[in-house]
Amino acid sequence: MTLVTRNATPKRGIYRPSADLVPKVLAGSRPDIARMISRAEAGYDEASDALAALYRHAGRAHVIGVTGVPGGGKSSLISALIRAYSGDSHKVAVVAVDPSSPYSGGAILGDRIRMGDSAEAQQAFVRSMATRGHLGGLARATLQAVDVLDAAGYSPIFIETVGVGQDEVEVVTAAHTVVVLSPPGLGDDIQAIKAGVMEIADIHVVSKGDKPDAAATASALRGMMSLTPLGRPSEWETPILTLSVATGDGILDLKQCLDSHHAHLVTSGELALRQRSISRTRVLATLNHLLRREFDENTTNLAAHLQAVADRSSDPMTAALALLGLNRMEAKP
Amino acid sequence: MTIERDRMPGSENLSNTPKIRVLVAKLGLDGHDRGAKVVARILRDAGMEVIYSGLYKTPAQILEAAIQEDVDVIGVSLLSGSHVPLFAALGSLLRDQQADHILLVAGGVIPEQDYDALMNSGVDVIVPQEARSDMIVSAIRDLVDARGRI
Amino acid sequence: MTDYSPETTEKLRASLAEWEQDELAATLNIRPEDKTDYRTECGIPLKRIYTAADVADIPLEDIGFPGKFPFTRGPYPTMYRGRPWTIRQVAGFGNPESTNQRYKYMIETGQTGLSTDFDLPTLLGLDSDDPMAFGEVGRVGVSIDSIDDVDRLFDGIDLEKISVSLTINPSAWVIYAMFVASAERRGNDLTKLTGTLQADPLKEYVAQKEWIYPVRPAVRLLRDLIIYSTKTTPKINPISLSGYHLSDVGGNAIQEIAFTMAFTIAYCEEVIAAGMDIDDFAPRLSFFFISHQDFFEQICKFRAARRVYAKIMAERFSAKKAESMRLRVHVQTAAMSLTKMEHKNNLMRTAFQALGAVLGGCQSMHTNGLDEAFAIPTEEAMKLAIRTQQIIRDEINVTSVVDPLGGSYFVESLTSEMEREIWKVLDEVDRLGGAVKLVEDGWFQQKLADSAYQTFKLIDRGEKISVGVNRHVDANSAPAAVEIHPYDENCTTLQVSRLKELRENRDNSLVNDLLSDLKQQARTEQTNLLPKTIELVKARATLGEICSALREVWGAYDEPNIV
């Protein structure tokens, strides 16, 4: 028994230069936006100029991170927000990040199931992205994807990611506003959220507000917040909102809160600070990426140094400086 | 050996090889999703990225998802018998939107007598119900390789 | 089973040990066994041989007698000697007239009860002219848009003389309303109508995946149906608690029974909360299980299911009537086990599965056609399927003794083992918050998807054998060109024109008023929606109109992201 394949000529594709995609992205062409995001994910060198150009065009979007434990209802919430924002004539985009399997490198990206109908109905743009081994909660190309969508005129842009522990708070380095979503019933297990995620929230949301234990969860959050010192100084008081996607209660309140936070960021000057912080993270990450790629590709040089260090005829610092092209005397203390 | 902060052990396969992205889709009113979900896992285990559409989607919704996700392949599983009209509708949408570089795979309950109709609608591969996982995976890889990088 | 004293049991164990060291060891030296690990499909380890020592601890009362609590040996004392199981083959396709003709053919061939499949639009509460109905009208079952179609479906069939099973779920309450209103129109005595509605919403969300509304409103509709039917059509089974689909979507035997029981518990709690007494409605709860490939596992499954259900009714719900504790089951053989390659092998598969169900104990059965894996069965296939049941019933003398395998060391041991596993799952469901919550959370769906994948991997690796497919493969076999039942393209045109005609010739303002009333009533938890629905179908409101009115009130269901 075999698979049955078409006899006709197999489908062929042509690689369109990324530079050609740029004007189409700026004009809002969805296939080109999608293709550009794929190029960013693949990390093709050919695409880096185009991505740089799109970066310069970006910067208008309100980037909102939505994180929280799995099963909290993030996708449903974003779906409801898509409807609320689209109703207000916004072009909304979502980048939904899910972990890749460490064994196979593949992934099942299921967030679209709960957003699909809103997306197609409202012309919102939903892109599912796998982490591809990157730790921290986002994929390496998530911010580049945000650049592309930003340049194409989408705002707000939601980044949806799973955030459970202190190692998965990368979203805070990528978003202007961070929403942490907790399902009801966490109650006593609120410790499961862990301090790192608690602190990063600009807005706390308790989902499924129609359920009986939602109120208890909100109280528990309030209790935890009063004990946790604020990670960063801010005039913004992190609210705790309770809402229900099923009934629609609280969705518009959340939207208003998101808009208020954005307004606060602008008027207080915090937006500029966040932009700098995001820029710092991105530049350092890119440096890191380039360095590692450099050494991955120049293995003979690396191997020689490694052997010397292992033999103790060299040491880690000397080897590293040599690889960077510096010698010991030039290095700053 | 470099200490790679954001790479996990054994993640050589997670770096820059272009990933194959597949939209596993259910069309129309057919509620049988067991096969589609099993295929999703097979493809994930083979290193592909799989977007699952959920049930009760129209051809237009599947097309839009395929475009936004820039998938290489749309795999549709149908067990309700309505594959001929549904693939015809999907195929024609793909052509109209210049998205017919996307490979189309059909699975489920499809009688031989309908193979030609499906091929004419643009289906590239028909997967019989009893196909083994390695056959499905290599068929997709071969098609994507043949199509070339886009 | 305390047939033996502890001393005798000990002696028996000692003898077994001797046998293992002598005769068995000698044989194993020459010829090792083909596996090191033997299990049932659902994973329960199997011993090489069972003795009285294996059943020494089973209380005799647990085994009991047929027709008496806990009904392990059968719901009735005489079983097939008093009344053979009903041969109830499902049929349904095209427009109502075509199905009506097939019904008459089946009755002539020997079918003793009718069973109806509906098309996808009807199942999902859509009219034949709905855009989503494109390509689906009359395809996998009969198309019903209004009470007129129900009249056509049963034209010339005496509903007081033959029982009717309706495989309908989210739109069940509307089809029931049409059925009852149609029977009334022909002058039938409603208290004489017999039949079954499938109407089991929780298994839809986790397995069959037919849905309209979110979970809780769907459970409310079932509650209304059970309460109304108990009072108006007391001989109709308003629900068929279904394990079949749980198996179909990947569940093993334990999950099939345990999840079905968990849903049963949830429904009983709903109906009792509305003020009914368990003994008022439990006697009419009926079940629908699969009969699958692992022969003895399936036989024990039926026995364990009866025992578990009886204990739930007696202990959890304090039922008093025997009829409330007695599990009656319709069985369908396993369509998923059938293959397209060498499809005639499916005749044998179905025969064995049917025999397993007969020995396990069932009240009615549908045997699959040999082409069921890929089509709606042809007349020829259906005839062979009926003959399969007739041969089992009439030629091989398995119906003379009630529960003939009862008392087998193996069967009693495995029955008790399966019972224990089922209780474990039920305890977990209770601990985690009950069936309705877990359906909303996607807990069952995840378990079933995981099971399905496990099974697939076993087949893929060749560890689970499918003859003709991954073992004993004949390179020359190709899937036979089977005569596929043709799809009637005209069905859609006919149904659509009937809808148009109907809408032009009824009192539309009455229909609109009644729809508003219905929506109003839907907003109150306690109001039973059946009476208003019956008024609506009599006024010739369509299925789609009624169902979408309630969608406006309750919204549509959003499936969780479980793969």
Side-chain angles (χ1 to χ4, degrees):
Chain A
M1 175 246 322
T2 49
L3 271 55
V4 182
T5 18
R6 206 147 72 117
N7 285 327
T9 352
K11 289 170 177 162
R12 288 249 171 273
I14 314 165
Y15 190 95
R16 286 181 297 139
S18 299
D20 293 355
L21 303 181
V22 172
K24 300 216 165 82
V25 168
L26 295 174
S29 158
R30 292 183 328 281
D32 296 281
I33 291 169
R35 182 60 48 80
M36 203 63 235
I37 293 175
S38 303
R39 300 266 171 96
E41 283 196 282
Y44 295 145
D45 283 335
E46 186 274 341
S48 49
D49 285 346
L51 288 169
L54 289 169
Y55 177 85
R56 285 158 211 255
H57 273 101
R60 284 161 302 177
H62 179 194
V63 180
I64 302 171
V66 178
T67 189
V69 299
K74 295 184 288 298
S75 302
S76 302
L77 176 61
I78 293 178
S79 189
L81 286 170
I82 291 175
R83 285 193 292 274
Y85 274 99
S86 303
D88 212 9
S89 312
H90 288 261
K91 264 175 50 168
V92 183
V94 181
V95 179
V97 185
D98 275 312
S100 298
S101 158
Y103 308 107
S104 69
I108 292 182
L109 308 172
D111 297 311
R112 198 185 188 91
I113 298 177
R114 306 211 89 171
M115 285 191 251
D117 294 349
S118 291
E120 280 93 48
Q122 321 290 349
Q123 296 287 322
F125 197 108
V126 175
R127 177 71 176 223
S128 310
M129 197 176 268
T131 54
R132 297 192 182 178
H134 188 89
L135 296 177
L138 299 184
R140 193 188 43 77
T142 301
L143 285 178
Q144 289 171 316
V146 171
D147 292 339
V148 174
L149 292 160
D150 190 336
Y154 286 88
S155 180
I157 301 174
F158 292 95
I159 304 177
E160 178 187 342
T161 157
V162 169
V164 197
Q166 275 148 325
D167 291 334
E168 285 163 311
V169 296
E170 202 180 1
V171 68
V172 77
T173 62
H176 304 133
T177 307
V178 177
V179 175
V180 174
L181 190 61
S182 307
L186 271 191
D188 297 331
D189 323 318
I190 214 129
Q191 320 304 323
I193 304 187
K194 294 205 193 137
V197 176
M198 290 291 311
E199 289 167 349
I200 66 169
D202 295 302
I203 302 173
H204 269 293
V205 174
V206 177
S207 59
K208 306 181 193 177
D210 49 308
K211 300 274 182 262
D213 28 8
T217 305
S219 305
L221 276 170
R222 227 166 273 125
M224 267 212 84
M225 278 177 60
S226 62
L227 298 174
T228 315
L230 282 178
R232 358 156 267 278
S234 175
E235 294 142 26
W236 173 263
E237 249 183 64
T238 301
I240 301 177
L241 300 179
T242 305
L243 53 73
S244 164
V245 172
T247 62
D249 288 339
I251 302 291
L252 286 176
D253 292 335
L254 175 58
K255 178 179 177 294
Q256 260 161 28
C257 195
L258 289 165
D259 291 339
S260 305
H261 186 250
H262 191 243
H264 159 80
L265 289 175
V266 171
T267 53
S268 68
E270 245 188 83
L271 185 63
L273 282 175
R274 292 214 181 181
Q275 283 297 139
R276 266 193 63 106
S277 174
I278 293 173
S279 303
R280 182 170 194 276
T281 308
R282 292 185 71 170
V283 171
L284 289 178
T286 311
L287 266 172
N288 193 15
H289 175 72
L290 286 176
L291 269 176
R292 283 186 298 101
R293 228 177 54 172
E294 171 74 16
F295 296 126
D296 275 349
E297 282 162 19
N298 292 320
T299 40
T300 20
N301 191 21
L302 178 65
H305 282 283
L306 293 182
Q307 192 55 53
V309 171
D311 292 342
R312 309 239 168 200
S313 57
S314 178
D315 62 271
M317 177 61 86
T318 307
L321 289 171
L323 285 164
L324 280 174
L326 304 167
N327 66 42
R328 232 190 153 87
M329 244 72 84
E330 291 172 38
K332 293 203 189 282
Chain B
M1 168 108 56
T2 356
I3 296 172
E4 318 243 342
R5 263 201 83 248
D6 64 347
R7 293 255 190 120
M8 294 165 68
S11 68
E12 298 75 25
N13 56 341
L14 301 184
S15 56
N16 285 331
T17 33
K19 292 282 178 195
I20 297 178
R21 283 168 68 92
V22 181
L23 174 63
V24 170
K26 290 295 301 172
L27 275 177
L29 301 182
D30 177 22
H32 296 96
D33 60 2
R34 173 178 180 166
K37 291 184 176 186
V38 165
V39 167
R41 292 198 194 198
I42 291 170
L43 298 182
R44 177 212 45 205
D45 288 350
M48 301 184 194
E49 291 176 353
V50 181
I51 293 111
Y52 173 60
S53 72
L55 290 170
Y56 307 120
K57 303 300 172 192
T58 62
Q61 286 171 328
I62 295 305
L63 172 76
E64 188 59 32
I67 287 176
Q68 292 182 5
E69 301 286 0
D70 195 24
V71 298
D72 299 294
V73 181
I74 300 173
V76 184
S77 158
L78 279 172
L79 288 87
S80 62
S82 40
H83 41 276
V84 170
L86 286 170
F87 274 109
L90 182 61
S92 123
L93 274 177
L94 286 170
R95 280 188 298 280
D96 291 345
Q97 302 292 317
Q98 284 102 41
D100 53 345
H101 60 277
I102 300 179
L103 302 158
L104 200 46
V105 177
V109 174
I110 303 184
E112 283 78 8
Q113 65 219 52
D114 293 336
Y115 286 177
D116 285 340
L118 257 49
M119 300 299 191
N120 289 336
S121 294
V123 170
D124 294 286
V125 174
I126 299 176
V127 178
Q129 276 187 297
E130 291 137 20
R132 282 199 328 270
S133 55
D134 54 340
M135 292 164 69
I136 304 173
V137 170
S138 39
I140 291 179
R141 286 200 179 125
D142 290 345
L143 279 173
V144 173
D145 282 342
R147 191 193 57 186
R149 201 161 83 148
I150 54 171
Chain C
M1 297 200 301
T2 51
D3 287 355
Y4 295 99
S5 65
E7 295 80 28
T8 317
T9 311
E10 261 320 295
K11 270 197 209 158
L12 188 47
R13 288 204 175 100
S15 304
L16 176 67
E18 263 181 49
W19 173 81
E20 280 170 352
Q21 281 153 24
D22 296 339
E23 286 88 351
L24 177 65
T27 301
L28 289 177
N29 265 334
I30 309 169
R31 185 195 294 282
E33 290 176 324
D34 66 336
K35 288 195 281 215
T36 45
D37 185 44
Y38 292 81
R39 286 178 189 265
T40 62
E41 280 281 344
C42 64
I44 294 175
L46 290 171
K47 291 184 180 185
R48 174 180 299 108
I49 189 157
Y50 288 77
T51 67
D54 292 303
V55 298
D57 293 330
I58 300 176
L60 277 173
E61 312 80 67
D62 257 3
I63 299 174
F65 290 93
K68 188 176 157 125
F69 183 90
F71 301 98
T72 310
R73 307 196 75 178
Y76 302 109
T78 54
M79 286 301 284
Y80 312 128
R81 291 163 61 123
R83 181 172 148 182
W85 68 92
T86 307
I87 298 180
R88 192 188 293 279
Q89 302 290 100
V90 142
F93 46 83
N95 54 44
E97 289 90 334
S98 318
T99 307
N100 180 264
Q101 275 181 316
R102 173 61 73 94
Y103 277 165
K104 288 168 172 159
Y105 171 77
M106 307 283 272
I107 292 172
E108 275 162 49
T109 313
Q111 175 139 321
T112 43
L114 295 179
S115 180
T116 317
D117 264 346
F118 299 89
D119 69 4
L120 282 166
T122 306
L123 292 172
L124 298 171
L126 302 171
D127 286 334
S128 301
D129 58 357
D130 191 291
M132 281 294 278
F134 168 66
E136 306 280 9
V137 178
R139 190 187 286 279
V140 306
V142 67
S143 168
I144 301 287
D145 292 318
S146 72
I147 190 177
D148 298 342
D149 286 330
V150 175
D151 287 339
R152 292 171 187 124
L153 182 63
F154 295 113
D155 180 59
I157 294 176
D158 186 351
L159 294 175
E160 285 184 26
K161 295 250 165 54
I162 192 162
S163 71
V164 177
S165 174
L166 302 167
T167 311
I168 188 89
N169 289 281
S171 50
W173 94 100
V174 182
I175 298 296
Y176 169 82
M178 290 180 182
F179 178 73
V180 159
S182 173
E184 213 174 45
R185 279 223 287 235
R186 315 151 178 235
N188 285 139
D189 177 355
L190 297 183
T191 61
K192 290 210 174 105
L193 296 177
T194 51
T196 303
L197 293 149
Q198 197 172 88
D200 170 1
L202 292 177
K203 70 103 173 37
E204 293 302 327
Y205 294 104
V206 313
Q208 187 158 238
K209 314 278 167 95
E210 290 164 18
W211 55 61
I212 310 175
Y213 314 112
V215 180
R216 286 173 204 262
V219 174
R220 178 262 183 91
L221 282 171
L222 171 67
R223 177 206 72 189
D224 288 353
L225 176 61
I226 290 178
I227 294 176
Y228 189 86
S229 174
T230 305
K231 300 187 171 131
T232 316
T233 48
K235 289 213 160 91
I236 287 191
N237 305 314
I239 183 170
S240 184
L241 296 143
S242 302
Y244 180 93
H245 314 86
L246 300 170
S247 169
D248 216 37
V249 87
N252 60 37
I254 302 299
Q255 290 168 327
E256 183 195 350
I257 304 304
F259 294 178
T260 305
M261 291 301 156
F263 299 162
T264 305
I265 289 170
Y267 299 145
C268 289
E269 286 173 352
E270 268 308 296
V271 177
I272 289 170
M276 285 200 89
D277 190 84
I278 186 79
D279 287 313
D280 287 339
F281 67 95
R284 280 280 151 228
L285 298 178
S286 66
F287 288 80
F288 174 30
F289 294 145
I290 201 170
S291 187
H292 220 301
Q293 293 165 290
D294 187 329
F295 189 70
F296 288 110
E297 177 204 68
Q298 293 293 299
I299 290 168
C300 296
K301 177 191 86 176
F302 289 110
R303 303 171 92 250
R306 281 193 291 270
R307 190 187 293 162
V308 167
Y309 178 69
K311 289 182 181 176
I312 290 173
M313 286 291 125
E315 289 158 23
R316 191 171 183 132
F317 292 110
S318 308
K320 306 278 180 305
K321 287 198 220 163
E323 294 85 354
S324 300
M325 302 183 253
R326 168 187 70 193
L327 185 151
R328 297 164 304 132
V329 65
H330 170 74
V331 173
Q332 180 168 340
T333 57
M336 283 288 300
S337 70
L338 304 183
T339 60
K340 202 168 171 183
M341 289 297 293
E342 295 190 19
H343 68 289
K344 288 187 185 164
N345 293 339
N346 295 334
L347 280 167
M348 292 85 87
R349 293 187 174 107
T350 302
F352 293 129
Q353 291 161 15
L355 181 60
V358 168
L359 294 173
C362 65
Q363 281 58 62
S364 75
M365 175 155 37
H366 166 102
T367 28
N368 292 323
L370 76 167
D371 49 5
E372 194 123 359
F374 36 83
I376 294 187
T378 54
E379 270 182 10
E380 165 77 5
M382 271 298 99
K383 182 165 158 187
L384 285 167
I386 291 177
R387 294 285 180 256
T388 304
Q389 294 191 47
Q390 288 166 332
I391 290 169
I392 292 175
R393 186 188 66 196
D394 302 332
E395 287 188 2
I396 63 173
N397 201 17
V398 290
T399 58
S400 301
V401 174
V402 177
D403 188 37
L405 295 175
S408 146
Y409 305 130
F410 171 41
V411 166
E412 295 303 352
S413 175
L414 184 55
T415 302
S416 292
E417 182 70 39
M418 290 183 78
E419 183 195 356
R420 275 193 287 278
E421 292 301 314
I422 293 166
W423 288 125
K424 279 190 203 159
V425 176
L426 287 174
D427 288 341
E428 197 181 356
V429 171
D430 271 341
R431 249 187 322 105
L432 292 174
V436 175
K437 175 178 187 293
L438 292 183
V439 170
E440 288 174 330
D441 289 347
W443 185 85
F444 295 101
Q445 294 87 317
Q446 186 67 67
K447 295 247 179 260
L448 292 167
D450 290 344
S451 261
Y453 192 52
Q454 284 312 112
T455 303
F456 173 80
K457 285 209 289 202
L458 289 173
I459 296 176
D460 209 43
R461 294 199 289 253
E463 285 169 37
K464 179 168 155 65
I465 299 171
S466 182
V467 171
V469 175
N470 66 9
R471 188 74 71 92
H472 313 296
V473 176
D474 182 351
N476 296 322
S477 304
V482 189
E483 186 198 322
I484 304 290
H485 186 95
Y487 175 59
D488 177 9
E489 301 280 352
N490 296 321
C491 180
T492 312
T493 333
L494 181 57
Q495 289 300 104
V496 169
S497 69
R498 280 174 171 163
L499 276 169
K500 188 164 173 298
E501 184 268 332
L502 174 151
R503 290 193 179 115
E504 283 163 8
N505 289 308
R506 65 179 183 186
D507 182 350
N508 281 303
S509 76
L510 172 62
V511 169
N512 286 329
D513 288 341
L514 291 174
L515 285 172
S516 294
D517 292 345
L518 184 71
K519 290 200 280 195
Q520 197 53 23
Q521 289 185 353
R523 293 188 182 98
T524 346
E525 249 306 288
Q526 309 88 322
T527 316
N528 192 308
L529 299 178
L530 259 305
K532 186 60 61 177
T533 308
I534 290 180
E535 275 187 74
L536 270 159
V537 307
K538 284 182 178 165
R540 298 171 89 209
T542 68
L543 177 68
E545 285 160 355
I546 298 172
C547 291
S548 45
L550 291 181
R551 201 180 308 122
E552 289 171 39
V553 177
W554 291 324
Y557 176 65
D558 239 341
E559 64 175 309
N561 114 27
I562 307 270
V563 176

